[in-house]
């Protein structure tokens, strides 16, 4: 059974031609032609999620893992606007999210018809392309080319696109077959190749004794990992990575905040790179941003096949190639004798010792719980992290390098981490473990209103009764309005788990945590949640003293 409407048929046919095989549908009437068509298509897996914000983050999680476009479909009106947080995340994280909204035809907009808003171009600031289709049989060619362009862009440029599809009533008429449509061939618009003077770059590289490679958010990539290992042989090169870089090595600095925080101005000046090479997405560490914005390198080269970002306000070259294509041109060069790498690694060694010493003596707290939780996660699980202090705590530890790690760092929102993690879990055959703070968890609690959560999905909530981060960052505590930042509460996840049929347990001490976690990852009929309660005042003290102890 397919929709009788040709425009709906065209949209469905276009999606299949661009190999979209997963469509997340939220309920409504205006989108009935798309709902009927997608759900009956043999090559498309459809899933139903009521809350559009959750649906979009869920789809984002799937697309994050498959790196292929995933579509979301909703009805007209405010439903569509609930996609926006995930669209912004997809925009800044380069995730191909295909947003399809049903709409009324133009003559019914702004004349007092119900459930109607101005949908065309509504995401214009954070979308790669908006295809405003027209409900007119004579516009088939135009609609086809808009669809082809939109889907081509989502696929090649890896980001969100919006297809707005107006339907007049009747909405529920069906036919037996889906027509075949020939979409025009769209070649990806030629990306302007930057004119890099490779010889000049090589000259700079070879004459510099202080070179830093800083990796932002990155998919696990063995080729890249291998390349970076080769750079480590050069004593003038130091590699800085983050938990979300998915790069691991003894010779990289992987806890940047831990390393930089105790450094004096003099040391920072000494460790300032002459050449900075960056690639990957967003950088989590605030300290490295502050450091490199203040102690700017003479040369900053950013390598990215899709887009350039000038995070440190000193970008000198944008190299629009894949890192794995460009980096071999540098790695093949002769090594430069220098003590630069050694200086960084000596600092790292000191911090690692201090870190272990400190952890062995601290009371139960977020930091201590994190240590226990991270070592408990089974090898090769996928680790999804929420924002706020969760991602920052993770940066202080050596995370098991068999775990691919992900976090919504595009816009660092707390509004869709659980939904994203569930989407990612659906797309991943290995177990997915999600660690979240309490506000992030309760904010996105509708994420659990989802019939597809794999039974091996695990959630660990670090419940410090509010936004713990606001006790650490400078500012909130100096005001008389801390409650408006931290938003303290007494909620627990127990009843939510009951409602959504998740196996719930909790821990409030190190011994309870050790006990509960011992069989937390074992097979179960339902997904499990472990809620770890910590004391916010202890957390604050422990983390502040941690950084002082490192000095
Ligand atoms: C959608 C959204 N609203 C507000 C914020 C601002 N914000 C950043 S962290 C945070 C608190 C998060 O608290 P929780 O999830 O409990 O984590 P904790 O800081 O305790 O680790 C808030 C409100 C945000 N990042 N995203």
């Amino acid at each position: 059974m397919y929709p009788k409407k040709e425009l709906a048929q065209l949209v469905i046919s276009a999606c299949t031609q661009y190999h979209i095989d997963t469509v997340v549908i939220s309920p409504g009437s205006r989108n009935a032609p798309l709902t009927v068509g997608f759900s009956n298509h043999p090559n498309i897996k459809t899933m139903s999620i009521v809350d559009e914000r959750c649906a979009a983050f869920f789809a984002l999680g799937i697309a994050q893992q498959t790196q292929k476009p995933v579509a979301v479909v909703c009805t007209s009106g405010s439903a569509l606007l609930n996609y926006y947080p995930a669209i912004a995340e997809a925009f800044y994280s380069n995730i191909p999210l295909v947003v399809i909204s049903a709409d009324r035809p133009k003559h019914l907009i702004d004349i007092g018809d119900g459930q109607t808003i101005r949908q065309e171009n509504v995401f214009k600031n954070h979308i790669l392309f908006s295809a405003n289709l027209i409900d007119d049989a004579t516009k088939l060619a135009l609609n086809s080319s808009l669809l082809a362009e939109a889907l081509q862009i989502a696929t090649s440029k890896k980001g969100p696109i919006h297809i707005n599809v107006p339907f007049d009533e009747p909405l529920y008429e069906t036919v037996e077959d889906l027509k075949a449509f020939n979409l025009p061939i769209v070649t990806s618009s030629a990306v302007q190749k930057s004119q890099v003077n490779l010889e000049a770059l090589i000259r700079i590289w070879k004459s510099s004794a202080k070179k830093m490679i800083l990796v932002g958010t990155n998919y696990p990539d063995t080729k890249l990992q291998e390349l970076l290992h080769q750079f480590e042989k050069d004593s003038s090169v130091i590699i800085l990575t983050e938990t979300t870089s998915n790069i691991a090595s003894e010779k990289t600095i992987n806890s940047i905040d831990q390393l930089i925080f105790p450094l004096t101005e003099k040391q920072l000046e000494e460790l300032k790179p002459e050449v900075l090479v960056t690639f990957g997405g967003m950088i989590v560490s605030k300290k490295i941003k502050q450091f490199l914005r203040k102690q700017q390198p003479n040369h900053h080269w950013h390598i990215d096949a899709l887009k350039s970002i000038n995070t440190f306000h000193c970008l000198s070259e944008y190299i629009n190639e894949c890192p794995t294509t460009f980096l071999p041109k540098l790695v093949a060069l002769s090594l430069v004798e220098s003590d630069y790498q050694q200086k960084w690694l000596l600092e790292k060694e000191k911090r690692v010792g201090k870190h272990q010493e400190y952890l062995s003596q601290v009371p139960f707290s977020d930091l201590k719980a994190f240590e226990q939780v991270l070592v408990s996660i089974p090898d090769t699980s996928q680790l999804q992290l929420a924002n706020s202090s969760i991602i920052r705590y993770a940066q202080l530890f050596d995370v098991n390098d068999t775990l691919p790690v992900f976090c919504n760092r595009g816009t660092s929102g707390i509004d869709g981490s659980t939904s994203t993690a569930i989407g990612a879990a659906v797309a991943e055959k290995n177990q997915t473990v999600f660690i979240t703070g309490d506000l992030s968890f309760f904010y996105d609690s509708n994420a659990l209103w989802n019939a597809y959560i794999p039974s091996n999905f695990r959630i660990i909530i670090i419940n410090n009764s509010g936004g713990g981060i606001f006790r650490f960052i400078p500012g909130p505590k100096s005001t008389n309005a801390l409650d408006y930042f931290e938003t303290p509460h007494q909620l627990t996840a127990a009843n939510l788990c009951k409602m959504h049929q998740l196996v719930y347990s909790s821990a409030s001490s190190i011994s309870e945590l050790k006990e509960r976690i011992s069989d937390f990852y074992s097979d179960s009929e339902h997904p499990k949640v472990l809620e770890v309660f910590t004391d916010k005042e202890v957390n604050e003290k422990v983390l502040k003293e941690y950084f002082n102890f490192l000095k």
Side-chain angles (χ1 to χ4, degrees):
M1 191 187 280
Y2 290 100
K4 188 172 173 195
K5 287 194 178 301
E6 186 177 64
L7 192 54
Q9 289 223 352
L10 176 67
V11 172
I12 294 159
S13 165
C15 286
T16 57
Q17 286 180 52
Y18 276 86
H19 310 293
I20 291 177
D21 58 9
T22 306
V23 178
V24 182
I25 299 174
S26 294
S29 201
R30 192 60 48 171
N31 53 340
L34 297 168
T35 302
V36 170
F38 278 125
S39 60
N40 279 296
H41 199 287
N43 299 339
I44 289 184
K45 178 175 181 189
T46 46
M47 288 182 258
S48 165
I49 291 189
V50 175
D51 180 326
E52 285 85 4
R53 194 183 78 212
C54 298
F57 275 111
F58 174 74
L60 178 108
I62 299 174
Q64 175 202 71
Q65 290 307 305
T66 60
Q67 298 180 51
K68 278 175 47 193
V70 174
V72 284
V73 174
C74 73
T75 189
S76 61
S78 60
L80 175 62
L81 302 184
N82 286 289
Y83 284 157
Y84 212 157
I87 290 174
E89 179 61 33
F91 183 77
Y92 288 108
S93 288
N94 305 327
I95 296 181
L97 185 66
V98 172
V99 171
I100 307 176
S101 54
D103 196 358
R104 279 162 175 66
K106 262 209 166 93
H107 67 273
L108 292 178
I109 315 279
D110 284 348
I111 54 107
D113 221 27
Q115 212 180 303
T116 308
I117 62 164
R118 300 171 193 176
Q119 295 186 190
E120 291 192 353
N121 306 317
V122 71
F123 305 118
K124 64 177 183 293
N125 285 339
H126 299 98
I127 206 90
L128 296 185
F129 191 83
S130 298
N132 300 308
L133 305 189
I134 302 165
D135 187 21
D136 178 342
T138 66
K139 302 288 186 203
L140 179 65
L142 176 62
N143 285 334
S144 302
S145 84
L146 284 170
L147 277 166
E149 190 168 358
L151 292 165
Q152 168 63 31
I153 286 174
T155 312
S156 61
K157 297 202 171 147
K158 303 245 179 276
I161 54 119
H162 175 205
I163 301 167
N164 192 55
V165 200
F167 293 125
D168 216 341
E169 292 180 20
L171 299 164
Y172 290 90
E173 289 181 328
T174 56
V175 292
E176 281 301 301
D177 297 313
L178 186 65
K179 257 171 60 180
F181 295 87
N182 283 327
L183 289 193
I185 309 279
V186 182
T187 46
S188 39
S189 50
V191 184
Q192 283 264 309
K193 278 273 167 217
S194 56
Q195 296 300 309
V196 181
N197 182 342
L198 185 60
E199 269 148 45
L201 298 191
I202 288 177
R203 225 175 300 124
I204 293 168
W205 185 262
K206 281 166 68 172
S207 63
S208 169
K210 292 179 171 185
K211 295 177 288 247
M212 178 186 284
I213 298 179
L214 172 62
V215 192
T217 304
N218 211 62
Y219 281 99
D221 181 339
T222 41
K223 199 168 163 199
L224 191 60
Q225 171 99 31
E226 210 19 70
L227 261 167
L228 291 175
H229 273 319
Q230 292 182 48
F231 276 106
E232 288 169 0
K233 293 180 193 143
D234 188 330
S235 58
S236 66
V237 177
I238 186 71
I239 300 168
L240 271 61
T241 63
E242 301 203 309
T243 314
T244 43
S245 305
N246 289 300
I247 298 283
S249 165
E250 291 263 295
K251 282 194 167 181
T252 61
I253 306 297
N254 55 354
S255 293
I256 303 176
D257 285 0
Q258 184 195 71
L259 196 132
I260 293 186
F261 182 82
L263 295 176
T264 61
E265 284 295 312
K266 190 164 165 269
Q267 285 174 306
L268 286 170
E269 188 56 42
E270 245 181 283
L271 292 171
K272 163 185 156 173
E274 290 163 9
V275 179
L276 169 69
V277 176
T278 56
F279 57 86
M282 298 289 190
I283 304 283
V284 177
S285 166
K286 241 184 175 154
K287 301 256 178 286
I288 194 75
K289 283 184 246 186
Q290 283 162 352
F291 169 44
L292 292 171
R293 281 174 191 159
K294 197 162 168 223
Q295 327 268 344
Q296 292 186 336
N298 304 340
H299 309 274
H300 172 202
W301 310 337
H302 184 66
I303 315 169
D304 192 305
L306 291 172
K307 59 187 175 198
S308 158
I309 41 172
N310 186 3
T311 304
F312 310 105
H313 311 312
C314 57
L315 186 71
S316 37
E317 290 291 346
Y318 164 47
I319 300 160
N320 59 350
E321 286 181 49
C322 277
T324 43
T325 318
F326 180 75
L327 289 173
K329 298 172 195 167
L330 298 182
V331 89
L333 304 175
S334 53
L335 309 183
V336 178
E337 221 23 75
S338 166
D339 61 356
Y340 188 60
Q341 184 185 81
Q342 194 54 25
K343 276 189 180 153
W344 278 96
L345 293 179
L346 277 175
E347 289 299 326
K348 175 178 173 176
E349 209 179 298
K350 283 191 225 162
R351 295 299 181 279
V352 171
K354 287 271 195 179
H355 171 92
Q356 280 156 357
E357 193 185 336
Y358 188 73
L359 261 295
S360 67
Q361 62 188 35
V362 290
F364 191 59
S365 52
D366 283 356
L367 187 73
K368 190 70 189 165
F370 237 88
E371 182 192 34
Q372 279 304 314
V373 163
L374 285 177
V375 293
S376 73
I377 301 171
D379 280 359
T380 71
S381 305
Q382 172 185 199
L383 178 58
Q384 289 275 339
L385 298 172
N387 273 301
S388 196
S389 40
I390 296 301
I391 178 69
R392 298 188 186 279
Y393 275 118
Q395 301 264 90
L396 302 176
F397 292 87
D398 244 338
V399 177
N400 173 345
D401 61 20
T402 70
L403 312 181
V405 185
F406 298 91
C407 177
N408 280 348
R409 288 309 291 181
T411 62
S412 308
I414 60 163
D415 42 0
S417 301
T418 315
S419 298
T420 306
I422 294 173
V426 164
E428 163 71 41
K429 62 177 182 345
N430 288 349
Q431 179 162 58
T432 296
V433 178
F434 171 54
I435 310 178
T436 177
D438 44 286
L439 290 195
S440 310
F441 176 76
F442 292 119
Y443 195 123
D444 190 22
S445 62
N446 265 356
L448 305 178
W449 188 7
N450 179 315
Y452 315 97
I453 310 178
S455 61
N456 66 356
F457 184 62
R458 297 290 178 267
I459 302 178
I460 296 169
I461 308 167
I462 308 286
N463 188 340
N464 49 31
S465 327
I469 193 138
F470 295 113
R471 287 182 169 257
F472 310 134
I473 57 171
K477 276 206 85 182
S478 65
T479 71
N480 60 359
L482 180 62
D483 278 4
Y484 289 91
F485 298 96
E486 187 184 32
T487 46
H489 65 85
Q490 298 302 320
L491 303 178
T492 93
N495 287 335
L496 267 175
C497 290
K498 208 167 166 189
M499 177 164 114
H500 292 290
Q501 290 202 307
L502 307 179
V503 181
Y504 175 82
S505 61
S506 68
S508 304
S509 66
I510 195 70
S511 55
E512 278 180 8
L513 177 56
K514 279 184 179 163
E515 195 207 311
R516 306 286 134 78
I517 218 150
S518 62
D519 75 339
F520 183 62
Y521 304 102
S522 59
D523 288 350
S524 61
E525 202 184 324
H526 298 286
K528 294 187 194 172
V529 172
L530 172 57
E531 187 167 29
V532 182
F533 293 101
T534 60
D535 182 305
K536 55 189 168 192
E537 261 124 40
V538 178
N539 293 335
E540 180 185 348
K541 199 159 167 274
V542 165
L543 192 68
K544 283 186 176 156
E545 280 175 14
Y546 171 79
F547 282 110
N548 288 330
F549 190 84
L550 293 176
K551 283 188 182 161

